[in-house]
Amino acid sequence: MPGRLISSLFSFKGLYAVFAIAIIFYGNMYVFSGVTPRHIATIVMIAACFRNESHLFLNRIIGFYLLFIISFGISSFITGYSVEYLTLLFSNYLVCIVAYWATKNLIIRYNGMTFFLNLFIVLGTLDGVITICQTFGFALADNIMKWLHLYSAQEYMVELNEKRASDLDYLDSMDSFDDTMSSKHSLSLMTVVIPGAFNSGVANGYFLMTTGVISLKLLIQRFGVIRLIPWLICILGCICVQERGPIVILAVLSFYALYKFISSRQVKKNKLSILILIPSLIAIINFVYKLISNLGSRITEIGLEDKGREDIYGDALNYYFDHPFFGGYHQFTHELETAPHNLILNAFIYGGIIGGLAIVAILFIQFKPIIKVFWQRINRKQSLCFIAALAYTAYTLNSLLHNRSIVTGDVIIWMLWAAFYYSYKLSKQRLK
């Protein structure tokens, strides 16, 4: 038994699981001299991929991405931010390419689509439990993070609790204000995002939204109330995080998936159960939403803390029109003290005209097969590909409102894309 466990751990699937956990959760934990588990896992995965293919792979998307990376590098060197660029190159962009390569091997060579989705469901459910416990002050979250050595997330929560305490002290000193004014200050001061297993509430919102969509795989394959638990944990966790975009995207895509599920010929006998289930889920979500809102919520607020998105988008456009050829992301953030908060704006500000067009080309190539899959009727053979397409779409839609995307070198988006694309190719081959 121990021998089987060791051999499975060092199989490609085992290495992939370790690689995914390291690059998703441990990118900010330094082992020595600036080296993180993300760097170490990436090197190991490169060796594992070479063992399978013995050569680097290239395709249109990787070619366009390399063009963007080069354009961003030129922009960074011209504007005097070469050190920041090199840090992103080795910590983000090269890791993304390896993650894409590794996921391709997992799907094509090891028939690992189910393994890939189940891995994300497990990690998302764990993160959802941590997030919910953090929201309501349960010690379980802190114990899990200590056990998993998620030091950066623990430090974030310590700072968050200190801020909450100082905010409460400030509110207690405002007896002279009327109730309306006091409630406004209470809302603005107590609005925080919950990090979960990450050191960022934004990253947590992205992840719970994505794993929530992926967890619908369990329902689409076979209906059952117990199989809804991971999805329910993820969507409740999303509400706790208080990132508005992920909540809306997860809810809309979930109901779209349920519609596709109900319209499938294979699930006629479950239609009545689902029709009863949907109102129940809406009632539960509404209850949790109100509960979180009473704790002090940013869900009902509009814009960012200091600037609305319209102002940020206007500043980003003005900056790009002043620097159309090379952009200059780090210079932009230094001057305006914010980021563009939009995938397309980020693309052109990071990489100038050439880099921006390269990202637009990638998006065009990617969404052609995704749209085809969305029009198809779901069956068991195509359900995994459909779920991966939904997850990739959710992540990309959220990047239209936030900064994490293929532009910033977010590794999860490349894992999702590779999982979808190569499962899509396999499904087409099987149909032929």
Side-chain angles (χ1 to χ4, degrees):
M1 186 69 179
R4 286 184 180 180
L5 180 63
I6 293 172
S7 62
S8 64
L9 180 63
F10 288 97
S11 67
F12 188 86
K13 288 184 178 179
L15 287 174
Y16 186 90
V18 173
F19 170 70
I21 292 168
I23 63 176
I24 292 172
F25 295 113
Y26 293 96
N28 295 315
M29 188 179 108
Y30 293 104
V31 180
F32 58 89
S33 300
V35 176
T36 68
R38 168 182 281 217
H39 297 126
I40 297 171
T42 300
I43 293 171
V44 173
M45 186 50 66
I46 289 173
C49 290
F50 267 125
R51 185 182 64 185
N52 288 330
E53 293 189 301
S54 72
H55 64 278
L56 289 172
F57 75 100
L58 285 174
N59 56 29
R60 285 187 303 167
I61 283 187
I62 294 299
F64 279 121
Y65 199 52
L66 290 174
L67 179 61
F68 163 76
I69 292 171
I70 293 169
S71 299
F72 177 39
I74 294 171
S75 171
S76 299
F77 278 85
I78 288 175
T79 54
Y81 290 91
S82 57
V83 174
E84 290 82 355
Y85 168 75
L86 292 173
T87 300
L88 286 173
L89 178 65
F90 291 105
S91 296
N92 288 31
Y93 295 116
L94 294 182
V95 178
C96 287
I97 294 174
V98 174
Y100 179 89
W101 191 15
T103 307
K104 173 201 169 188
N105 274 278
L106 178 71
I107 305 303
I108 295 291
R109 293 182 174 272
Y110 298 95
N111 194 26
M113 189 60 182
T114 299
F115 175 84
F116 175 87
L117 296 177
N118 286 342
L119 175 63
F120 270 80
I121 291 171
V122 170
L123 296 179
T125 304
L126 175 64
D127 182 44
V129 170
I130 291 173
T131 301
I132 294 168
C133 290
Q134 286 174 346
T135 303
F136 296 100
F138 299 142
L140 177 63
D142 192 49
N143 292 334
I144 293 174
M145 288 194 294
K146 285 180 180 177
W147 186 70
L148 296 174
H149 299 283
L150 291 166
Y151 302 121
S152 57
Q154 283 181 285
E155 292 169 0
Y156 185 103
M157 282 305 299
V158 169
E159 293 176 1
L160 188 60
N161 288 329
E162 290 175 353
K163 181 182 183 301
R164 281 173 165 170
S166 63
D167 288 347
L168 286 172
D169 291 339
Y170 177 70
L171 288 172
D172 289 340
S173 66
M174 296 182 65
D175 296 335
S176 60
F177 282 77
D178 58 39
D179 293 337
T180 303
M181 201 65 179
S182 179
S183 65
K184 286 183 179 179
H185 278 281
S186 175
L187 185 64
S188 63
L189 288 169
M190 295 298 292
T191 55
V192 293
V193 289
I194 307 299
F198 299 84
N199 69 328
S200 163
V202 174
N204 193 27
Y206 267 93
F207 191 70
L208 287 172
M209 171 196 66
T210 304
T211 52
V213 171
I214 291 175
S215 66
L216 290 169
K217 160 207 177 255
L218 302 175
L219 179 63
I220 289 177
Q221 287 187 323
R222 187 172 71 251
F223 175 77
V225 175
I226 294 178
R227 298 171 76 84
L228 270 173
I229 291 176
W231 177 85
L232 194 57
I233 289 174
C234 287
I235 198 163
L236 296 184
C238 241
I239 295 172
C240 290
V241 173
Q242 302 190 52
E243 279 289 314
R244 291 148 293 184
I247 297 171
V248 174
I249 293 168
L250 175 55
V252 170
L253 292 185
S254 294
F255 284 113
Y256 171 69
L258 286 173
Y259 162 75
K260 296 286 285 187
F261 178 45
I262 292 170
S263 64
S264 172
R265 295 176 182 175
Q266 297 182 0
V267 295
K268 287 183 178 178
K269 62 182 179 180
N270 294 319
K271 287 183 180 180
L272 181 60
S273 301
I274 297 172
L275 291 175
I276 295 172
L277 177 67
I278 289 175
S280 303
L281 291 175
I282 294 173
I284 293 171
I285 293 168
N286 184 55
F287 170 76
V288 175
Y289 170 83
K290 290 181 177 179
L291 185 63
I292 299 298
S293 297
N294 291 333
L295 292 176
S297 174
R298 73 190 292 269
I299 294 174
T300 56
E301 293 180 351
I302 299 174
L304 302 175
E305 292 180 2
D306 301 316
K307 286 187 174 183
R309 274 178 169 75
E310 288 184 4
D311 294 332
I312 292 176
Y313 295 158
D315 291 340
L317 285 171
N318 290 333
Y319 178 87
Y320 176 70
F321 290 145
D322 291 337
H323 309 79
F325 295 107
F326 299 107
Y329 172 76
H330 291 106
Q331 182 173 295
F332 171 84
T333 56
H334 178 75
E335 291 180 3
L336 282 86
E337 298 181 349
T338 187
H341 286 78
N342 178 271
L343 167 61
I344 304 300
L345 290 175
N346 267 322
F348 284 92
I349 291 177
Y350 267 73
I353 184 67
I354 296 176
L357 290 175
I359 293 297
V360 170
I362 290 173
L363 294 173
F364 179 77
I365 294 169
Q366 288 176 330
F367 273 97
K368 283 181 65 178
I370 286 176
I371 292 171
K372 290 180 182 178
V373 169
F374 283 167
W375 281 107
Q376 295 173 352
R377 184 181 293 273
I378 299 176
N379 57 45
R380 288 190 180 276
K381 292 181 179 179
Q382 296 170 327
S383 62
L384 302 186
C385 182
F386 173 77
I387 288 297
L390 273 182
Y392 175 83
T393 301
Y395 213 98
T396 304
L397 287 175
N398 201 42
S399 67
L400 294 173
L401 301 169
H402 299 86
N403 291 302
R404 301 174 71 92
S405 67
I406 59 174
V407 173
T408 60
D410 192 279
V411 68
I412 295 176
I413 192 72
W414 284 103
M415 297 168 77
L416 294 173
W417 166 249
F420 162 73
Y421 181 68
Y422 289 105
S423 64
Y424 173 74
K425 287 188 70 174
L426 285 177
S427 66
K428 285 182 68 177
Q429 290 173 5
R430 287 166 185 159
L431 287 174
K432 289 180 181 179

